[in-house]
Amino acid sequence: MAVDLSINLAGIRSPNPFWLASGPPTNEGPMIMRAFEAGWGGAVWKTLGEPIVNVSSRLGSIDYGTRRMLGLNNIELITDRPLAKNFQEIDEVKKRFPDNAVVVSLMVESKREAWHEIVKRTNDSGADGIELNFGCPHGMSERGMGAAMGQVPDYTCMVTEWVKEVAKVPVLVKLTPNVTSILPPARAAVNGGADGLSLINTINSVMGVDLDTWDVYPNVGGQSAHGGYCGPAVKPIALAMVNEIARDWRSGRVPLSGIGGIETWKDAVEFLLLGATGVQVCTAVMHYGYRIVEDLIDGATSYCESKGLARVTDLVGQAAKKVTDWGKLDLNYVIKPRIDYEKCVGCNLCYTACADGAHQAFALDGPPVKVADGTTRPGPRVLDDQCVGCNLCHLVCPVPSCITMTRQETGHRPMTYEEFTASGLPRTALAGYGS
Amino acid sequence: MTFEERFTDLVPALTKADAVAAASACLYCADAPCTKACPTHIDVPAFIRKISTDNLKGAARVILSANVLGGSCARVCPVEELCEGACVQNRLRHEPVRIARLQRYATDAAISHEWKLFEKGPMNGRKVACVGAGPASLSAAFVLAQKGYAVTVYDERELPGGLDTYAMADYKLKIPAAQAEIETLKDLGVTFVMKTTVGRDVPFAELEAKSDAIFLGIGLGGTARLGIPGEGEPGVVDALSFIEKLKTAPYAQSAFSGEVLVIGAGNTAIDAVTQSKRLGAKSATIVYRRGEEDMPCFDYEYELAKKDGCRFEFGARPKRIERSGDRLALVCEREGREVSFLGDRIIRAIGQAKRREMFDTLGIALDDQGRVLVDSASQRTSNPRYFAGGDCVNGGQEAVNAVAAGKRAAAGIDATFALRQVA
Ligand SMILES: Cc1cc2nc3c(=O)[nH]c(=O)nc-3n(C[C@H](O)[C@H](O)[C@H](O)COP(=O)(O)OP(=O)(O)OC[C@H]3O[C@@H](n4cnc5c(N)ncnc54)[C@H](O)[C@@H]3O)c2cc1C
Ligand SMILES: Cc1cc2nc3c(=O)[nH]c(=O)nc-3n(C[C@H](O)[C@H](O)[C@H](O)COP(=O)(O)O)c2cc1C
């Protein structure tokens, strides 16, 4: 079965939902052309504005076990190349790749004329869309740009309006996650006329300290600055924010370009399922190169085939409504762990996690399990009366499908917290009470 | 221990947990050394990444598109010398990424799910005959069928696969696994004409009349003769027949509890001696005319034989075989003196003979060692209608080399016609 991967995000069309996010991988025309050759559907150009001067070093990262760059942080600013050169390259890229989406990220000082001028230049460049960088959390924000815009909804709305006054192509507003709630800036952007929203930009962070020198990462001659955090580690935060907007009728009316921690086709599909129309990738490309797009396309195609979907856009928002307010969750839904003793290797991590981090719902006197040296030992046994079904044992278990959380028949009908408080029933009416 | 246990896979299949851990060790190198080291240039980092992303189907496609026998090769390749030997993790962690096992994990999935990963190309009206159904021909047929050629493969054996089917040590690759992989070719519309010896049952002239090009992937001949007196004695067997029987008949029929002497020290000799041991031989001994350091077998094969309790007699040049009561005596010359080894069975394993006559009649030039001379890029022989590859050209290397040669030949054949169309 052929799967149609193409998308139309706020009027910006691309052959697939995979775009490069604004950043080093989209610094210049020749790079973007190589990316398109590799298969990327679109690219958001490295943010253009008055060229800046960068520091060295600019990046820091955290590792986890053998995994390098689980999280990346940067104190890089916007483009350091002349505007004229960038615009000339945009034109060249569009001529060679008319079907790929080229979106130009912009950031200038908070003056209407300044915005008008750069938007007009962008109109003339042949670009398919504009993305307003209201998200950069470092350097530019101190100059009243980037996150300084995105953190004040009124500014977000105002600048979006200025841009829309002259823009001839769709305008996306890229939001900063460095806010207490993503909804006010999202709504402000939509009120200002944004055709779509991109999120997230990077998260404020300090990467760590050298324990010998006490230098802080990333280190610039003995000093550091807070920088923007991204990479696989930020995905859950991005998913939550994308989904929150997708479910908001005021801001979720416009299509969303999901960004943050996307590395595999599975990550991308999750963003789509939670409400994004397309996705953007930065860190994973900085780590492994443009070539990762081949598996993004291949994996997403096979996945759609396996689900019997003809279009990738059929995925958009399918799981969005599965997130709701806590008060709407069923308090009488109860799950308990069930252990496959054939698979259990006897590490007892479930036991210790539950004993010290949960509800002491394991005893070590279960059926015998085989351990590595061929001997057996008593396996963990679930004490259903103690267990609250929190999931922790399942999460720490290193053996695939060894602990399965299984639904329990409670004899109680479903009841949410909202229903419960409205009902006036005593707490004993709930399945989870009193264990 | 039952025979089944003794011949169980030496390197077992990975579990899902193994595969996740093994795949996570891959650094996803750019311009990766493993890919370069593989004669068929499988994009190893790409397929391992796909395993990491749970895209097993994509992983299998990456492997098989480069090497249609990727499942066999995962089991039989000397990976220590190839991909895994080249892995950068050897330096970092002193242990390579388990490429072969991951490759098997993905290709096994393709077989168990019966994924159809390839499509035959629209027919281009051209016909190619492949003589021999070994790795070289299968690989050529796979590429040509996808390009729209009508491919017919002839083989004198009952089953396709060549030595991949009939010779691989059973604890590496068993016949069902080898056959399962060949289904892909049948799906692509490749026709197999089995139990048919070309040159005898079907004359070459007929193939020439019916085909636009002919690929010769006929491998080497039977086990070479020792050329010493007594080699016709009952109890003297050749390695290929011995191995074929143990692979095609129930193990019990090959069981032999006497003492076995194996002449030779290549990989085939090692396979013969270890498998003799596993079939119950009281002792199994390699008798080799030169020294330990001269053994042509791979180190890890030698290690395996030693671990199995096989014995080694070096510097003993066989001179004759005599009967000694109801036993056999292998009389050798060692440092100018005669020594005699007693055994109940002697296995000849000094390599395969070359098939010169056939090539002579076809006007195909050979080198002084009886290997077919070809243009290294296109695999074309001195007779322009014929292309050749695999053991008959390289003199006897590995299955993966034959697969790589088949790919080159397919490209060479295709280029001939592409050029003619232009002209
Ligand atoms: C005992 C043994 C163990 C081996 N172990 C390994 C291993 O562990 N790993 C590895 O990578 N390689 C191994 N090899 C080597 C590997 O098997 C060969 O390199 C590979 O099979 C060569 O492929 P081929 O297509 O060139 O020839 P073959 O596999 O020899 O196939 C040739 C085919 O042509 C057929 N044929 C010949 N003449 C005619 C004719 N006139 N008409 C019709 N059909 C004909 C034959 O029947 C045969 O099926 C081993 C070889 C041997 C002998
Ligand atoms: C070094 C670096 C430079 C970046 N520069 C920009 C930029 O100029 N404009 C912008 O909008 N976002 C910029 N970003 C943010 C990314 O576009 C993206 O929003 C963020 O990295 C999250 O995605 P990821 O987890 O895939 O990296 C930059 C990120 C990095 C790592």
Side-chain angles (χ1 to χ4, degrees), chain B residues 131 197-200 202-210 214 216 218 358 361-362 386:
Chain B
V131 185
T197 304
V198 177
R200 196 190 67 198
V202 178
F204 277 97
E206 186 182 324
L207 253 50
E208 289 184 19
K210 278 203 274 193
I214 300 170
L216 298 174
I218 59 167
M358 177 196 291
T361 53
L362 295 172
Y386 288 84

Side-chain angles (χ1 to χ4, degrees), chain B residues 76 131-136 154-157 162-164 167-168 172 196-198 217-219 240 243 268 271 352 355 358 389-391 397-399 402:
Chain B
V76 305
V131 185
Y154 299 85
D155 199 296
E156 54 196 16
R157 315 299 302 257
L163 295 177
D164 202 45
M168 298 300 168
K172 292 187 196 164
T196 304
T197 304
V198 177
I218 59 167
L240 289 183
I243 293 170
T268 300
D271 284 356
Q352 291 167 259
R355 295 188 162 105
M358 177 196 291
D391 279 2
Q397 291 180 357
E398 309 302 312

Side-chain angles (χ1 to χ4, degrees), chain A residues 21-24 46-47 59 72 74 76-78 105 131 133 174 200-202 230-232 234 259-262 280-284 286:
Chain A
S22 177
K46 173 73 187 170
T47 302
L59 304 171
L72 174 72
N74 82 90
E76 175 177 296
L77 305 184
I78 63 171
S105 171
E131 186 178 87
N133 180 350
K174 181 164 175 181
I200 58 175
N201 209 312
T202 53
C230 51
V234 311
I259 318 169
I262 296 167
Q280 300 183 25
V281 181
C282 180
T283 304
M286 292 177 68

